[in-house]
Amino acid sequence: KQEVTQIPAALSVPEGENLVLNCSFTDSAIYNLQWFRQDPGKGLTSLLLIQSSQREQTSGRLNASLDKSSGRSTLYIAASQPGDSATYLCAVPGSTGNQFYFGTGTSLTVIP
Amino acid sequence: ETGVTQSPTHLIKTRGQQVTLRCSSQSGHNTVSWYQQALGQGPQFIFQYYREEENGRGNFPPRFSGLQFPNYSSELNVNALELDDSALYLCASSLFMTGEGTQYFGPGTRLLVL
């Protein structure tokens, strides 16, 4: 069974700082890895999807990397803003591809 | 293009009751998955439907059941509610069954069981 771990569980940074969120998974045979953002009590918003053949994916101030062999992904947020405050979750599909395994998320607070 | 919608947004039930949650998938998406998210946890997979057939189930008892309709909308039914069923229930739709595509999530239904 795939297990997904996210470190740190919580992070507080001053506005403008660059930061890195970490995600690790136990089974490297994945189709892709997806990063989501979740605001309190809300649904999940997809940020980036990295296919297994890719090493990086970028969207605006966000950059996600994937190292399948080591079972790791990072989400880099440049020039953080208070509006970035949310919980960030990573997810990978299981071996059958029909279910996604999520980490418990990193709760990010950006202080103005 | 409309996104994933869920209804109702909030629901309060008592132990032993039954509940039905609804999800309309994003236009053109044929795969719908349901997840349960307890407070402070990541979402846990309940089951997935592809073209009206159940295609995989997580570690949830049979009192969690579902349906997918010809228009690809879906229902999640939970019988004999327990206090631990209190959670945010999320629906996600995608184009591909095999996990190759992006999953798009709805806003969720917050269920409270008293």
Side-chain angles (χ1 to χ4, degrees), chain A residues 1 31-32 34 36 38 41-46 49 51 89 93 96-105, chain B residues 33 35 37 40-43 45 48 55-58 88 90 97-103 105-107 110:
Chain A
K1 177 191 169 186
Y31 291 108
N32 58 49
Q34 197 164 0
F36 294 90
Q38 186 174 33
K42 305 295 185 182
L44 276 63
T45 300
S46 177
L49 172 74
Q51 299 292 352
L89 296 145
T96 55
N98 59 2
Q99 74 168 284
F100 279 74
Y101 292 90
F102 284 83
T104 52
Chain B
S33 303
Y35 292 82
Q37 187 179 23
Q41 301 297 314
F45 177 74
Q48 182 185 81
N55 176 54
R57 187 180 186 91
L88 180 67
L90 296 163
M97 182 179 65
T98 58
E100 294 172 354
T102 300
Q103 288 199 104
F105 280 80
R110 174 73 64 185

Side-chain angles (χ1 to χ4, degrees), chain A residues 31-94:
Chain A
Y31 291 108
N32 58 49
L33 182 144
Q34 197 164 0
W35 281 93
F36 294 90
R37 169 188 171 134
Q38 186 174 33
D39 293 292
K42 305 295 185 182
L44 276 63
T45 300
S46 177
L47 298 173
L48 289 164
L49 172 74
I50 312 178
Q51 299 292 352
S52 59
S53 58
Q54 297 177 310
R55 293 293 297 252
E56 283 191 6
Q57 191 67 253
T58 298
S59 176
R61 294 182 294 109
L62 305 180
N63 176 276
S65 68
L66 175 63
D67 184 343
K68 273 185 59 177
S69 60
S70 67
R72 292 180 184 177
S73 176
T74 61
L75 179 66
Y76 175 83
I77 302 177
S80 58
Q81 302 171 357
D84 295 332
S85 298
T87 296
Y88 291 81
L89 296 145
C90 67
V92 294

